[in-house]
Amino acid sequence: MKKKDVYRLLMVLLVAGCTLSVQAQHKRDFRGAWIQAVNGQWIGMGTEQMQRTLRFQLDELQKDGVNAIIFQVRPECDALYQSNLEPWSRFLTGTQGLPPSPFWDPLAWMVTECHKRGMEIHAWINPYRAKTKTTKELARTHVAVRHPEWVFQYDGQYILNPGMPECRNYICDVVADIVGRYDVDGLHIDDYFYPYPVAGQPIPDDNEFRRYNNGFVQKADWRRDNVNVFIKQLYERIHAVKPWVKFGVSPFGIYRNKKNSTIGSATNGLQNYDDLYADVLMWVNNGWVDYLVPQLYWEIGHKAADYKELIGWWNNYASARHLYIGEDVERTVKHTDPQNPSQHQLPAKMQLHEQMKNVNGTVLWYAKAAVDNVGNYGSLLRNHYWKYPALTPRMEFIDGKAPKKVRKMKVVETSDGHVLFWQAPKGKDWKDAARRYVVYRFAKGEKVNIDDPSHIVAITYDEFYKLPNVKRKDVYVVTALDRMANESKGKKKKY
């Protein structure tokens, strides 16, 4: 048999094996996907083609069961949105500071498109990185040009200095501008705090340590405190602008190794606490984040960072706020399950999720890999693991009260067929107001159970639902969701 035929047979066996795993369907589950810009996938694409590509990706991700998009809008102190504070991103147009032509605002467009599909959208920024290695020229309005004293160079990058209060304030101003002007559901930052260490390259912050040490003797403690102060400040600033906007952080996957800490994981890799100066557990335990997405991009059985070890560790230690797991799509399907070599690792990872009582979501790295259906990953989500729609988990620590029931529900015959209409319940403020709606369908005589997600036919921002053109007597139930996904009681209508 030829080598390529062996490979094809192996893939058939892997896919076939993956379909055997059985798993419960949850009504509440954060199912996110990162759509990144920093890899340059949009450069030179143009407005029409980029919109067409994004629209296709959103459609496919919706079919896969994804209910939240994390969209990168600020890779290097720039903007994939219209901003008076930072220049247009070169990752959008090819030249930093050059607006798109024909003009459009990608973030505003994505808000509309995600909400049209019933999805949440979280604006994703890199807080400290001011220039990537591949950027050769900065716009005159870029912060590193206007305030060169705020940045230091490290490994070909520019980094906003975390030790300077001016930098923290500036980032918070940028975030407040995004949250204030765009109807985003979340604000998301990734794992770049102090730069990833490079051998022989010390971080040049001696002057700032002398000036702002606040009594710290050890520079490492001072750096961690700088990041802690920033995270708390950013959390408070976001919620001061819009209390309902969720603040999420996606840290590197290892907090500390056991050899460095009694509570560390049985791993041997780079550490948030010691190497990136990110004391993630302090943020969670103090309530300075609303959700956490540790990047567990390794495979089960990895020698230095075993996925099974790490998902158990985060489940045990980071439960004070919502915990979702960052999954690497390509690596998951590249490696076989050590316990079942006939299939790749998606079933085993999903089984681990089921066993972790504090894990209530997943974010896919990266969206395009799922859309491209690498290793049949997307098909397995839409046909099995995420077959039915899911609501995002409730955040009762922000607001736990459900809105009232929808009103005046009726079926209207239109030129486009029969349409189920309803009106929003009355609400005084954002905590009481309906934001989205869930439509359930039950066959005649079937028990109405809105805890069963298999009956969800739509999660929508609209106040109507087009009924299928079938001659049967069904019962439709509509509930209202507020901004924190608290769900009202249902209102029924026969059709």
Side-chain angles (χ1 to χ4, degrees):
M1 186 179 289
K2 295 180 180 179
K3 185 180 292 186
K4 65 179 182 180
D5 294 328
V6 173
Y7 174 77
R8 287 173 182 165
L9 178 60
L10 177 61
M11 289 308 298
V12 169
L13 291 172
L14 287 173
V15 171
C18 286
T19 60
L20 299 178
S21 176
V22 177
Q23 179 171 317
Q25 299 285 313
H26 296 287
K27 180 178 171 179
R28 297 276 181 176
D29 196 20
F30 190 91
R31 301 172 178 174
W34 281 291
I35 297 182
Q36 82 276 41
V38 75
N39 66 343
Q41 64 175 320
W42 312 122
I43 294 177
M45 187 172 280
T47 299
E48 185 177 343
Q49 186 180 356
M50 183 172 170
Q51 289 181 353
R52 185 166 57 247
T53 302
L54 282 169
R55 196 177 284 115
F56 173 76
Q57 289 186 0
L58 293 177
D59 286 342
E60 292 302 297
L61 291 168
Q62 183 183 27
K63 294 173 187 175
D64 290 344
V66 169
N67 59 19
I69 298 297
I70 300 177
F71 182 58
Q72 189 173 27
V73 299
R74 185 183 183 261
E76 51 178 2
C77 294
D78 52 357
L80 275 86
Y81 62 95
Q82 190 169 18
S83 172
N84 292 325
L85 300 178
E86 298 190 309
W88 284 101
S89 176
R90 79 169 181 89
F91 294 108
L92 177 64
T93 65
T95 302
Q96 193 176 94
L98 181 68
S101 180
F103 182 84
W104 71 306
D105 184 323
L107 178 54
W109 187 89
M110 283 290 285
V111 168
T112 299
E113 292 294 320
C114 288
H115 288 172
K116 186 187 298 182
R117 292 164 177 80
M119 297 173 166
E120 291 188 358
I121 179 166
H122 295 222
W124 161 23
I125 73 163
N126 181 283
Y128 291 113
R129 186 174 58 207
K131 186 187 83 67
T132 60
K133 292 181 181 182
T134 56
T135 297
K136 305 302 180 186
E137 185 176 356
L138 299 176
R140 290 181 298 172
T141 55
H142 191 273
V143 64
V145 176
R146 293 185 291 113
H147 292 285
E149 72 280 8
W150 287 4
V151 304
F152 59 76
Q153 296 188 41
Y154 191 87
D155 192 33
Q157 304 176 89
Y158 289 171
I159 308 295
L160 282 175
N161 196 327
M164 298 181 67
E166 297 91 336
C167 294
R168 296 195 290 268
N169 295 337
Y170 174 73
I171 299 167
C172 288
D173 287 343
V174 169
V175 168
D177 176 60
I178 294 171
V179 172
R181 292 193 296 117
Y182 294 90
D183 191 16
V184 295
D185 302 286
L187 192 287
H188 183 90
I189 66 175
D190 52 25
D191 54 321
Y192 295 99
F193 301 102
Y194 277 89
Y196 277 67
V198 176
Q201 294 193 34
I203 296 172
D205 59 356
D206 288 344
N207 290 336
E208 288 71 34
F209 182 52
R210 284 192 294 269
R211 184 178 178 186
Y212 299 113
N213 65 71
N214 293 325
F216 284 97
V217 177
Q218 299 297 324
K219 187 181 283 188
D221 293 333
W222 170 73
R223 287 174 178 166
R224 274 187 290 274
D225 185 65
N226 290 333
V227 180
N228 291 340
V229 169
F230 165 70
I231 293 292
K232 182 176 185 289
Q233 181 180 347
L234 184 57
Y235 178 85
E236 291 173 348
R237 188 72 179 274
I238 290 168
H239 287 283
V241 178
K242 288 180 179 175
W244 59 86
V245 172
K246 305 169 186 177
F247 175 42
V249 180
S250 178
F252 184 71
I254 298 173
Y255 176 68
R256 300 192 81 184
N257 299 314
K258 189 175 287 293
K259 65 182 180 182
N260 296 101
S261 171
T262 55
I263 66 164
S265 53
T267 51
N268 185 28
L270 188 85
Q271 304 163 100
N272 276 291
Y273 185 92
D274 302 81
D275 303 309
L276 302 176
Y277 307 102
D279 191 351
V280 181
L281 291 191
M282 176 174 278
W283 314 339
V284 170
N285 292 329
N286 282 284
W288 297 341
V289 297
D290 296 316
Y291 70 88
L292 203 67
V293 192
Q295 298 172 17
L296 304 193
Y297 292 167
W298 303 279
E299 66 273 14
I300 298 171
H302 190 283
K303 292 181 180 179
D306 180 10
Y307 179 96
K308 183 177 181 180
E309 163 70 14
L310 284 166
I311 192 173
W313 188 93
W314 288 100
N315 176 73
N316 290 336
Y317 287 97
S319 61
R321 281 293 185 258
H322 282 207
L323 176 62
Y324 317 139
I325 302 300
E327 299 280 358
D328 187 309
V329 172
E330 292 181 339
R331 187 172 291 190
T332 296
V333 301
K334 176 183 177 181
H335 294 275
T336 57
D337 179 357
Q339 302 300 318
N340 189 353
S342 67
Q343 64 185 22
H344 60 53
Q345 292 196 355
L346 180 59
K349 287 186 174 182
M350 285 295 192
Q351 189 173 30
L352 285 171
H353 277 242
E354 283 296 298
Q355 295 169 3
M356 304 296 155
K357 65 177 183 179
N358 296 317
V359 172
N360 43 24
T362 306
V363 182
L364 307 178
W365 177 258
Y366 48 99
K368 188 176 183 298
V371 170
D372 290 346
N373 202 24
V374 175
N376 214 36
Y377 196 105
S379 294
L380 286 165
L381 291 181
R382 74 175 61 181
N383 296 321
H384 186 61
Y385 295 109
W386 292 354
K387 182 177 181 180
Y388 304 118
L391 310 185
T392 52
R394 300 168 65 213
M395 289 189 173
E396 297 179 67
F397 50 87
I398 296 178
D399 171 40
K401 185 180 179 182
K404 295 179 179 179
K405 291 198 296 186
V406 302
R407 302 177 298 136
K408 299 181 179 180
M409 198 159 74
K410 60 183 178 180
V411 176
V412 176
E413 185 176 358
T414 71
S415 58
D416 194 33
H418 287 83
V419 179
L420 179 65
F421 288 93
W422 58 87
Q423 290 184 11
K426 294 181 179 179
K428 296 179 181 179
D429 57 21
W430 69 269
K431 291 184 177 181
D432 302 319
R435 173 67 169 167
R436 291 179 292 170
Y437 304 92
V438 187
V439 183
Y440 302 84
R441 182 172 62 221
F442 300 88
K444 182 181 179 180
E446 189 175 13
K447 182 180 179 181
V448 172
N449 176 18
I450 64 172
D451 291 327
D452 182 353
S454 69
H455 291 280
I456 297 175
V457 293
I459 299 173
T460 178
Y461 286 78
D462 298 323
E463 294 181 8
F464 62 87
Y465 173 72
K466 187 178 183 305
L467 296 169
N469 188 23
V470 292
K471 293 183 179 180
R472 67 186 191 196
K473 294 293 183 180
D474 288 332
V475 175
Y476 287 87
V477 177
V478 177
T479 62
L481 301 176
D482 63 17
R483 286 191 176 270
M484 305 317 300
N486 297 302
E487 187 176 22
S488 74
K489 294 180 180 179
K491 192 172 183 66
K492 292 191 291 186
K493 185 69 178 178
K494 293 181 181 180
Y495 169 72

